Amino acid sequence: MNSYALEFPRGVQVDVFNPPEDFEEQIRKSFAGYTEGTNKDYTYQDKLAYIDLMRIYAHGEPDGEETAEEYITERFEYELHENGTFLKESDFRTTEVLSDMWERGHLDLHASFTGDHHIDERIQQLLVRAIKVVINYEGGSGE
């Protein structure tokens, strides 16, 4: 049987191929702890922040320096192999290049997480379930 661990904020970790029966309850408790102390009028901000944290956890924290180095290496190799020329430092000082690097470092919830669509589909299914819990969270007594 396959196994792949997915982490969520506040210590929740699940196997995407065998999520616990109380998955939604674990997410609810995790979010309740996350939003504890927030004025109920501002819980929506915590909901969005928590969902953003889920995105970061699912992808792993993107490393800006690593992303930039990969981008520069790929551009350099492409230019050398396709055109037989070397890029200059000034070729990387454009808003287009900075925008491309930012886009690579900004990972969306719908993006590939592992490169394996079987695992990615399971991750996406769990993320949708967790987002539903967070969005529908009302707080208050019993929560």
Side-chain angles (χ1 to χ4, degrees):
M1 175 181 248
N2 291 333
S3 178
Y4 184 87
L6 178 62
E7 291 187 44
F8 288 86
R10 301 187 56 85
V12 175
Q13 187 172 1
V14 299
D15 179 346
V16 300
F17 291 100
N18 189 25
E21 289 183 23
D22 68 340
F23 172 71
E24 282 84 357
E25 179 64 17
Q26 288 184 32
I27 295 298
R28 189 193 61 73
K29 286 181 179 178
S30 172
F31 181 71
Y34 180 82
T35 195
E36 183 178 3
T38 299
N39 183 311
K40 192 168 180 154
D41 292 339
Y42 301 105
T43 303
Y44 67 93
Q45 291 175 349
D46 281 354
K47 289 179 178 186
L48 295 173
Y50 189 91
I51 291 168
D52 199 40
L53 282 175
M54 289 192 310
R55 177 190 57 80
I56 291 169
Y57 276 73
H59 284 290
E61 185 71 40
D63 180 281
E65 186 173 329
E66 183 179 311
T67 299
E69 285 177 7
E70 287 173 4
Y71 178 83
I72 290 168
T73 299
E74 288 172 12
R75 288 276 307 256
F76 185 83
E77 288 174 352
Y78 175 83
E79 190 67 27
L80 181 62
H81 291 107
E82 294 296 317
N83 300 317
T85 60
F86 293 99
L87 293 170
K88 299 180 287 287
E89 183 179 334
S90 61
D91 292 326
F92 295 99
R93 292 185 181 162
T94 67
T95 55
E96 176 187 358
V97 167
L98 294 174
S99 175
D100 286 347
M101 281 193 245
W102 184 86
E103 288 290 332
R104 284 182 174 219
H106 178 80
L107 303 170
D108 296 318
L109 282 170
H110 61 80
S112 175
F113 300 95
T114 67
D116 181 327
H117 75 277
H118 297 293
I119 297 172
D120 289 346
E121 286 175 6
R122 299 288 185 127
I123 291 171
Q124 291 167 348
Q125 290 169 0
L126 287 172
L127 287 172
V128 167
R129 287 172 60 187
I131 288 168
K132 285 179 183 177
V133 170
V134 171
I135 292 300
N136 292 321
Y137 179 84
E138 294 295 329
S141 62
E143 293 280 355

